[in-house]
Amino acid sequence: MAMTRFVGRSAAVDRLMAAVDRAAAGDPSTVLLGADAGVGKTRLLAHVADLAAARGATVVTAGCVDLGEVGVPYLPFAEALTRLSSTTGTVDALVRTRPALLRLVPGGEPTAAATDDEAGRLQLFDGIAAALASSGRAGAPMVLVLEDLHWADPSSRDVLRYLVSRFRTEHVLVVASYRTDDLHRRHPLTGVVAELSRHPRVERLDLPPFSAEELRAFAAAVVGADVTEETLRTVAERSEGNAYFAQELLEAPDGSLPWSLGDVLRARIDRLDPAVVDLARLAAVSGRTVSEALLRAAWAHHPAHHPAHRAGLQPADGSDVDAVLREAVAGHVLVAEDRRMAFRHALLAEVVAADLLPGETSAAHRAYRDALVVDPTLGSAAVLAHHARHAHDAPTALRASLTAADDAARLLAPQEELRHLEVVLELWDAVPEGERPAVDPADLMMRAASAAARAGRDERAVPLARTAVDRAADPARRAVLRVQLARHLLSIEDEREAFETAGRALDELSPDASAPDRAWAHAVRARTALGTDEDDEARRRAEEAVGIARSAGLADVEADALATLAVLRVDDPDEAARLLGAARERAAQAGDLLTQLRCDYNLAATWFYAGHLPAADRELRTGLDHARRAGLTWHGFTVQMQLLQHLVRFTRGDLSPPEPPSAGAPPVAAASLAAVRLYSAVARGDDDVVDAARALEPAGRVDGQVALVAGGCHVDALAWRRRTEEAIARAEAVIEQMSRAWNDFFLGGIWIAALALGALADGAADDRVHGRATDDALRRGDALLARAVTSAQRGRP
């Protein structure tokens, strides 16, 4: 069947071609194309791709695949890079400066991924962005079309976020389509679409069903002649303007018009030879598309392929896979797409799969499993794990999921790695001991905790790490795992438990422990001691860690411990800066980007609290530039530097409001940046500042930084409005909250106490004018002053 002539959609075509023209002029953007299934997204994008290519654009189309809860990391971008690599030389050239791209380029053989290789992941993201940018030029933009974004894996969604925030003047257009009828409230893409839609370089394009005139033109194009008004009315009523449904209705062979799309599609399938029906059912279990080689191999293992099989599925005798595939294509069920077989439409695959009985579905998954076990080159470990689980083969699913986790780690895809490891843990007890991999489950759990932390899910990392410690049978191994648990506890600011956990780890550590294990145990204990005001312990452990690290050449541990020692020298900013500089240099030598960022932030904070604002500003500019070039825009230390930069500007008298955070800001970072905007808002006397500060109280209950900044600005705004008692009560509440969350001597307490003292002084002056006693105000003021003095003496940044 020839493709129907493209008709209608003039408004959508105009908007998309306008975006192509803007990209050609160096104004990049992303268009999110949403519509219900069957409305015509793919046909529209194919038409626009042809128009863009005719104008000189480089057009690459890639799609996402439905693999259930776990996808193949970066699948559409790996496909796009593969196509660019075969047509241009830009990808090969970029690999030399961004070796992380080797993970996605065909034939690439990267070194094994480090378990905390955030820098490598961001280098990969930057490499993808650079590959797209270098493929476009003035007048001839790069147009990347991503189809079926509702099936995108988590890492691909992260890359899309990165591209949106990264592009500024590149000649690139990204168009991503998704099914709106699939996006329920908890669908992972729902929040991404809402988030990206707020970005100034993102355009939402909702594709509606055909209008009456578009449907008339479409019907004439399908039939090859004008259709009767009665037929047109019936098609319009039943299809409701859905292009795919309308075409199926118009092509119904007997002139009858079934009521539902499901009836139409079933009728198309039922007209085929039984062998073709069997093949379609097998293909449908794999989703809309399946590798032709895998489909052929699975067909050989499927019961329907064997003449002896007579119950249910039965192909025509003598049929072979070539003949069956040709008949499926001729019957407009399957189409060939670049070494893959695809259903004419995803809806057709869904209808066929939905009609299978549970036993038939399991048999089809077993056929895929058997084919992949015999020839692993036919698909990834993630695909094998998917089919083995649905075939109820727990041992194969467990082993394949563990391999898939290794693959995800190699690709720097922590979210997918975590999900595969969670599957392994779910299946572990269901698999006989003799069929399990030779891996300690405690190590698996700690690995899952590490993946969760790298995926930004610290709340998931902590319980996984706790369980790992509990399940460790060997005391020496348990001590090492406790050190890792302490680090995860620090990430959720549970400093007291982190301190105690690190102490138990040192008590349990074997005298024969390796140098890295001993060094990290001391370094982590030192960091936890900082948060619990155990300065002597922090200094002793940090110095011990530095000594071990230098003897063993462990630059990463040395950098971490030196950064801790620098914080302890807050009373001597020059010495603290010297130590932080040395720590940053060692971190750079070790390739430890996160410790570098920690040093960048602490250097700036040291100079800020010492009153050296130009030096603080200089370090902040250096650190933020370093973070952005590495792609770590929303890492915790980067966000802290952004907050401190706003505070430096405010302290230097710049009351202009900072730019609002971009659409890619995580909720916690967005709340922090909203809080810091309150400084200048209070100073300007904005009318809504009290309400804005109050609105951030829920976020402050889970983030101490938001609680401190928004709380302090709230106190300041209330004091300016002479709402004295409210201001003092709010100040006392903030101090109490922060003392519980951090420690009694947090430096921000000086600011909160000073604001409260000012409000008390204003209130006491008013009391004296009206002859009221001021004893209570003096008592409360003495307590606040004493706290501020102690914080100045014992606090640290």
Side-chain angles (χ1 to χ4, degrees):
M1 177 182 62
M3 182 176 288
T4 303
R5 175 174 57 87
F6 186 83
V7 298
R9 306 301 194 194
S10 58
V13 171
D14 289 346
R15 286 179 63 180
L16 288 167
M17 291 309 298
V20 172
D21 291 340
R22 291 196 301 271
D27 184 10
S29 65
T30 297
V31 178
L32 300 177
L33 175 65
D36 287 350
V39 165
K41 300 182 296 297
T42 298
R43 186 69 182 90
L44 169 64
L45 292 176
H47 178 67
V48 170
D50 290 342
L51 294 178
R55 295 189 186 181
T58 297
V59 182
V60 172
T61 299
C64 306
V65 175
D66 182 15
L67 274 184
E69 295 179 351
V70 180
V72 178
Y74 310 110
L75 180 62
F77 294 100
E79 183 180 351
L81 288 176
T82 298
R83 295 184 178 180
L84 284 175
S85 182
S86 65
T87 57
T88 70
T90 55
V91 176
D92 294 337
L94 285 168
V95 164
R96 289 193 290 271
T97 56
R98 296 169 177 85
L101 271 179
L102 282 169
R103 303 171 194 277
L104 300 185
V105 174
E109 296 182 0
T111 56
T115 56
D116 60 350
D117 196 359
E118 259 188 271
R121 190 170 194 244
L122 270 299
Q123 185 187 87
L124 178 63
F125 286 16
D126 183 66
I128 294 171
L132 296 176
S134 62
S135 299
R137 63 181 189 279
M142 169 71 216
V143 178
L144 174 64
V145 178
L146 302 174
E147 293 199 86
D148 298 323
L149 198 62
H150 50 281
W151 288 331
D153 57 277
S155 291
S156 291
R157 295 193 295 268
D158 287 346
V159 173
L160 182 59
R161 285 189 179 101
Y162 180 81
L163 295 179
V164 167
S165 64
R166 165 75 160 72
F167 290 142
R168 292 290 184 271
T169 59
E170 295 81 357
H171 301 282
V172 177
L173 169 65
V174 178
V175 183
S177 69
Y178 61 94
R179 280 167 49 167
T180 53
D181 47 337
D182 270 14
L183 296 197
H184 51 79
R185 183 169 60 88
R186 294 185 178 179
H187 192 287
L189 187 63
T190 300
V192 176
V193 170
E195 170 192 314
L196 295 181
S197 297
R198 295 192 292 270
H199 195 281
R201 291 191 180 277
V202 174
E203 181 179 0
R204 285 277 295 272
L205 177 56
D206 296 320
L207 191 65
F210 277 143
S211 66
E213 288 306 311
E214 286 176 325
L215 184 60
R216 182 186 302 277
F218 181 72
V222 171
V223 176
D226 291 339
V227 299
T228 66
E229 289 297 320
E230 180 182 357
T231 299
L232 192 63
R233 281 196 302 272
T234 304
V235 171
E237 177 185 354
R238 298 187 186 178
S239 72
E240 296 182 335
N242 184 290
Y244 182 52
F245 192 3
Q247 182 165 356
E248 290 289 341
L249 289 170
L250 290 163
E251 291 177 346
D254 56 2
S256 62
L257 298 178
W259 272 102
S260 74
L261 179 57
D263 292 338
V264 175
L265 299 179
R266 290 186 190 94
R268 178 177 290 281
I269 294 295
D270 290 344
R271 293 194 301 270
L272 301 172
D273 182 273
V276 180
V277 175
D278 293 340
L279 186 71
R281 289 170 173 171
L282 179 63
V285 167
S286 189
R288 180 179 178 265
T289 70
V290 59
S291 155
E292 182 181 349
L294 178 57
L295 180 60
R296 286 173 177 271
W299 176 249
H301 289 276
H302 196 276
H305 179 253
H306 304 293
H309 180 78
R310 291 291 180 267
L313 301 174
Q314 181 179 354
D317 290 343
S319 64
D320 62 79
V321 68
D322 290 328
V324 176
L325 279 172
R326 281 195 294 269
E327 183 64 24
V329 172
H332 311 316
V333 175
L334 298 178
V335 295
E337 291 185 358
D338 190 24
R339 292 183 294 180
R340 300 181 70 83
M341 300 306 298
F343 279 88
R344 183 184 178 197
H345 197 282
L347 289 173
L348 180 55
E350 292 166 14
V351 166
V352 173
D355 281 347
L356 289 174
L357 296 172
E360 294 172 325
T361 301
S362 296
H365 282 295
R366 283 195 297 274
Y368 282 111
R369 176 207 60 190
D370 293 343
L372 288 162
V373 168
V374 170
D375 185 357
T377 65
L378 292 173
S380 67
V383 173
L384 174 57
H386 170 75
H387 289 299
R389 286 192 77 189
H390 288 282
H392 310 296
D393 179 359
T396 300
L398 187 151
R399 291 190 298 270
S401 294
L402 186 56
T403 302
D406 294 338
D407 293 342
R410 181 181 61 82
L411 291 172
L412 306 176
Q415 296 183 75
E416 289 85 346
E417 181 187 0
L418 171 62
R419 184 64 192 115
H420 286 302
L421 289 171
E422 287 178 327
V423 170
V424 171
L425 295 172
E426 289 169 10
L427 295 174
W428 191 263
D429 291 332
V431 175
E433 185 173 353
E435 298 184 58
R436 298 173 189 159
V439 182
D440 187 338
D443 289 340
L444 282 175
M445 288 177 182
M446 190 57 78
R447 178 181 170 185
S450 174
R454 284 179 280 118
R457 296 186 56 191
D458 294 319
E459 78 290 345
R460 178 65 178 142
V462 169
L464 282 167
R466 280 201 181 103
T467 306
V469 170
D470 293 340
R471 291 195 63 166
D474 177 36
R477 182 61 185 154
R478 190 185 308 122
V480 175
L481 295 178
R482 279 197 202 281
V483 174
Q484 297 178 53
L485 171 58
R487 298 179 76 174
H488 291 304
L489 288 166
L490 280 174
S491 68
I492 62 169
E493 298 186 0
D494 192 340
E495 294 172 333
R496 174 51 60 182
E497 186 180 352
F499 178 70
E500 294 170 354
T501 299
R504 289 189 65 184
L506 279 169
D507 292 340
E508 295 175 352
L509 199 66
S510 168
D512 299 326
S514 67
D517 287 344
R518 287 186 292 114
W520 274 120
H522 287 287
V524 172
R525 173 69 169 183
R527 284 189 65 183
T528 62
L530 280 180
T532 52
D533 201 35
E534 301 282 349
D535 288 4
D536 291 340
E537 174 73 355
R539 183 176 294 102
R540 183 165 67 92
R541 297 298 181 182
E543 290 173 348
E544 184 73 17
V546 169
I548 297 171
R550 286 177 176 169
S551 298
L554 304 171
D556 52 350
V557 192
E558 182 184 348
D560 187 274
L562 284 173
T564 298
L565 288 172
V567 175
L568 289 166
R569 297 303 306 270
V570 67
D571 58 330
D572 185 348
D574 292 322
E575 176 61 13
R578 186 190 68 78
L579 288 169
L580 285 167
R584 183 164 60 183
E585 182 178 349
R586 293 297 281 152
Q589 293 170 359
D592 186 350
L593 181 57
L594 301 188
T595 299
Q596 283 183 264
L597 289 179
R598 179 188 174 199
C599 294
D600 287 334
Y601 167 69
N602 280 322
L603 266 169
T606 296
W607 290 128
F608 174 75
Y609 286 112
H612 299 307
L613 299 183
D617 188 53
R618 182 181 65 251
E619 293 295 346
L620 286 167
R621 291 177 187 276
T622 299
L624 287 171
D625 180 65
H626 179 204
R628 286 167 182 148
R629 281 188 287 106
L632 293 173
T633 305
W634 300 117
H635 186 271
F637 285 121
T638 311
V639 173
Q640 291 300 310
M641 284 190 280
Q642 292 182 59
L643 299 177
L644 189 56
Q645 187 177 58
H646 295 318
L647 188 54
V648 168
R649 290 173 181 169
F650 170 74
T651 307
R652 300 180 82 176
D654 183 354
L655 301 184
S656 60
E659 290 292 322
S662 72
V668 172
S672 296
L673 292 168
V676 82
R677 291 168 63 86
L678 296 175
Y679 283 119
S680 54
V682 172
R684 292 192 305 268
D686 291 1
D687 293 335
D688 63 346
V689 68
V690 171
D691 292 336
R694 187 179 293 117
L696 288 169
E697 287 182 18
R701 286 192 283 272
V702 296
D703 188 302
Q705 189 76 46
V706 174
L708 174 62
V709 175
C713 291
H714 194 181
V715 173
D716 202 7
L718 290 169
W720 276 106
R721 286 160 176 74
R722 294 288 186 177
R723 294 160 61 173
T724 304
E725 280 303 318
E726 289 181 72
I728 297 168
R730 184 74 186 106
E732 291 173 339
V734 171
I735 289 174
E736 181 181 355
Q737 177 184 351
M738 301 315 303
S739 296
R740 290 197 309 269
W742 290 347
N743 59 65
D744 287 334
F745 311 114
F746 67 101
L747 284 177
I750 301 172
W751 174 49
I752 303 295
L755 293 172
L757 283 168
L760 275 170
D762 290 341
D766 188 61
D767 287 340
R768 290 190 185 94
V769 169
H770 293 86
R772 294 188 291 265
T774 60
D775 294 346
D776 184 59
L778 289 170
R779 177 186 58 77
R780 295 166 77 181
D782 287 341
L784 287 166
L785 178 60
R787 171 178 286 277
V789 170
T790 305
S791 294
Q793 293 170 340
R794 302 183 60 180
R796 60 176 63 92

